[in-house]
């Protein structure tokens, strides 16, 4: 495994981040395809053996059960100081807004619940899961700064935002002496490269780490299009993300397969090796041992400039999909993309 500094922090993270959305009680959340605690523990244990020290979860994943599984596994298999734990908080609910719960109060409540779930005194990275259009950004930044000052979070990150929002938030933080975002978790992979428009340039200039999710496009970049998977067959949210661009994406996927065959490696290794030339640490989900084993191998695979060009040259700009398409100012009062399920937070 190789390691890198996480942006403007003193955190040293593995070049692969274990995405923990696939861990959790399948009967108690938004996904039916997640794996139970026993299998989650096997995967986490194996990832630690492979040198992965960076774990990303969220309070919204399977009603908090992902945090529970991750916390218990880390306690049993690793020293707390040897791992970097990231979790995320949801926007204020309509009920909280109606009851006058401020952004600062909301963040305090959310991080306290996450720490309880994880069984930890602090998280290394506390992430603003998606932009809250009903809460002033000043309140969010002050609430996050309070979490850092209290020692409950070492650093803060953001997910699912536009470059202008990240720049605006960090400008407020700089002006007020608040903690600044050190990382951005956006949607970025070989067949969805819209982060290259503005976000990648901002991050390069300000040394903000990119830790993208959907690194393998919900599995599309790890297999040929005619090979299905449990997630794509059961997860309607993931299933239709790329439907409108299936033909153009398929041509790129075919090239990833071609290079994998030529190099004697997997498509996972090719796809992640490409992404590793762009970002600090892609978030890779795993529901089987070979998923994390293949991801770890990608760190040592170096693509030539010609291979990178071959993979990139067919790309055509895409419309936004997923969280970024749904979570807009106009939709702010509608149902959240992530729900807390049955868990009381």
């Amino acid at each position: 495994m190789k390691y890198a500094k996480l942006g403007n922090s003193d955190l040293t993270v593995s070049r692969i981040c274990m995405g923990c959305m696939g861990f959790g009680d399948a009967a108690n959340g938004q996904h039916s395809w997640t794996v139970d605690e026993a299998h989650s523990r096997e995967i986490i244990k194996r990832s630690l053996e492979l040198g992965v020290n960076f774990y990303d979860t969220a309070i919204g994943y399977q009603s908090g059960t992902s945090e529970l599984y991750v916390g218990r596994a880390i306690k049993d298999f690793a020293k707390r100081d040897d791992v970097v734990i990231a979790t995320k908080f949801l926007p204020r609910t309509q009920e909280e807004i109606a009851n006058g719960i401020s952004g600062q109060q909301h963040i305090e409540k959310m991080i306290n619940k996450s720490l309880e779930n994880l069984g930890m005194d602090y998280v290394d990275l506390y992430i603003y899961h998606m932009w809250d259009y009903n809460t002033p950004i000043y309140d969010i930044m002050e609430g996050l700064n309070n979490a850092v000052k209290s020692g409950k979070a070492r650093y803060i990150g953001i997910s699912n935002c536009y470059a202008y929002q990240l720049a605006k938030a960090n400008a407020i933080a700089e002006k007020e002496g608040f903690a600044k975002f050190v990382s951005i978790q956006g949607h970025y992979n070989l067949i969805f490269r819209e982060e290259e428009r503005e976000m990648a340039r901002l991050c390069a200039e300000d040394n903000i780490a990119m830790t993208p999710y959907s690194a393998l496009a919900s599995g599309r970049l790890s297999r040929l299009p005619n090979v299905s998977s449990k997630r794509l067959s059961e997860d309607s949210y993931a299933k239709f993300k790329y439907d409108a661009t299936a033909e153009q994406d398929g041509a790129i996927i075919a090239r990833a397969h071609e290079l994998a065959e030529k190099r004697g490696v997997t498509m996972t290794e090719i796809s992640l090796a490409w992404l590793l030339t762009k970002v600090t640490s892609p978030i890779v989900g795993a529901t089987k041992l070979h998923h994390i084993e293949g991801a770890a191998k990608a760190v040592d695979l170096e693509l030539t400039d010609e291979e990178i060009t071959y993979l990139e040259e067919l790309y055509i700009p895409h419309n936004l999909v997923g969280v970024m398409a749904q979570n807009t100012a106009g939709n702010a009062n509608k149902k959240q993309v992530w729900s807390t399920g049955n868990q009381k937070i």
Side-chain angles (χ1 to χ4, degrees):
M1 182 54 63
K2 297 177 182 177
Y3 301 86
K5 285 292 183 183
L6 188 75
N8 292 308
S9 79
D10 66 357
L11 300 174
T12 299
V13 299
S14 49
R15 293 298 311 279
I16 294 295
C17 175
M18 167 66 78
C20 301
M21 188 175 74
F23 304 154
D25 182 0
N28 190 30
Q30 72 272 32
H31 299 309
S32 63
W33 48 269
T34 57
V35 296
D36 61 23
E37 186 163 11
H39 288 93
S40 300
R41 288 171 65 84
E42 289 179 1
I43 294 167
I44 292 171
K45 185 177 182 181
R46 181 61 179 141
S47 69
L48 288 163
E49 293 169 352
L50 293 167
V52 174
N53 76 339
F54 190 14
Y55 295 84
D56 175 84
T57 184
I59 200 168
Y61 294 164
Q62 300 302 98
S63 302
T65 56
S66 173
E67 289 181 327
L68 288 168
Y69 292 5
V70 171
R72 290 195 284 251
I74 293 298
K75 181 180 180 181
D76 290 344
F77 300 138
K79 294 180 180 178
R80 178 65 185 89
D81 291 345
D82 291 343
V83 292
V84 175
I85 303 297
T87 194
K88 300 181 280 292
F89 69 96
L90 296 159
R92 285 190 302 165
T93 65
Q94 290 302 307
E95 182 180 1
E96 285 178 310
I97 293 170
N99 290 334
I101 301 298
S102 69
Q104 294 93 329
Q105 292 170 323
H106 170 73
I107 290 171
E108 182 178 15
K109 181 173 67 171
M110 294 291 269
I111 195 168
N112 286 343
K113 186 61 181 178
S114 284
L115 292 176
E116 178 186 330
N117 288 343
L118 290 162
M120 297 175 182
D121 296 326
Y122 69 94
V123 290
D124 300 280
L125 186 65
Y126 198 45
I127 301 172
Y128 185 19
H129 204 155
M130 64 188 73
W131 198 263
D132 184 347
Y133 288 94
N134 288 317
T135 304
I137 185 58
Y138 186 97
D139 292 352
I140 296 294
M141 300 310 293
E142 185 173 21
L144 287 170
N145 190 61
N146 291 340
V148 173
K149 286 198 304 181
S150 69
K152 294 176 181 178
R154 293 181 64 191
Y155 295 95
I156 61 170
I158 191 169
S159 181
N160 295 304
C161 71
Y162 295 101
Y164 87 88
Q165 292 172 325
L166 173 52
K168 180 179 179 180
N170 272 354
I172 290 171
E174 184 167 351
K175 178 182 177 183
E176 300 296 332
F178 294 160
K180 296 170 71 172
F181 291 124
V182 301
S183 65
I184 167 65
Q185 188 178 133
H187 180 192
Y188 187 22
N189 57 53
L190 183 57
I191 58 173
F192 192 87
R193 293 168 47 197
E194 300 312 296
E195 292 287 73
E196 294 175 10
R197 292 175 181 260
E198 295 187 9
M199 186 64 79
R201 298 180 185 185
L202 172 66
C203 291
E205 289 187 12
D206 290 358
N207 193 32
I208 298 169
M210 297 182 73
T211 62
Y213 65 83
S214 200
L216 293 170
S218 303
R220 290 171 179 81
L221 287 165
S222 65
R223 60 176 67 85
L224 289 171
N226 61 343
V227 181
S228 187
S229 69
K230 180 176 175 64
R231 179 176 180 184
L232 288 180
S233 65
E234 295 184 11
D235 187 345
S236 60
Y237 184 68
K239 185 176 182 181
F240 299 112
K241 264 187 179 180
Y242 300 85
D243 277 11
T245 56
E247 184 175 350
Q248 66 200 61
D249 295 344
I252 298 170
I253 293 169
R255 289 195 172 191
H257 178 260
E258 178 188 339
L259 284 182
E261 292 282 294
K262 181 180 177 181
R263 296 288 296 269
V265 297
T266 64
M267 289 176 63
T268 291
E269 290 169 70
I270 292 291
S271 301
L272 290 178
W274 174 84
L275 190 54
L276 282 161
T277 68
K278 313 290 184 180
V279 307
T280 301
S281 183
I283 297 169
V284 183
T287 53
K288 296 179 181 177
L289 288 177
H290 73 83
H291 292 164
I292 188 58
E293 291 168 345
K297 289 180 182 178
V299 174
D300 295 318
L301 178 63
E302 293 188 13
L303 300 177
T304 66
D305 291 343
E306 291 75 19
E307 287 171 331
I308 291 171
T309 298
Y310 187 63
L311 289 169
E312 293 181 350
E313 62 187 356
L314 297 181
Y315 186 77
I316 298 172
H318 288 47
N319 291 326
L320 293 180
V321 296
V323 176
M324 290 296 290
Q326 293 173 260
N327 187 47
T328 64
N331 291 326
N333 293 320
K334 297 181 180 179
K335 185 179 179 181
Q336 292 175 0
V337 176
W338 300 104
S339 75
T340 55
N342 298 322
Q343 178 163 320
K344 295 185 182 298
I345 297 174

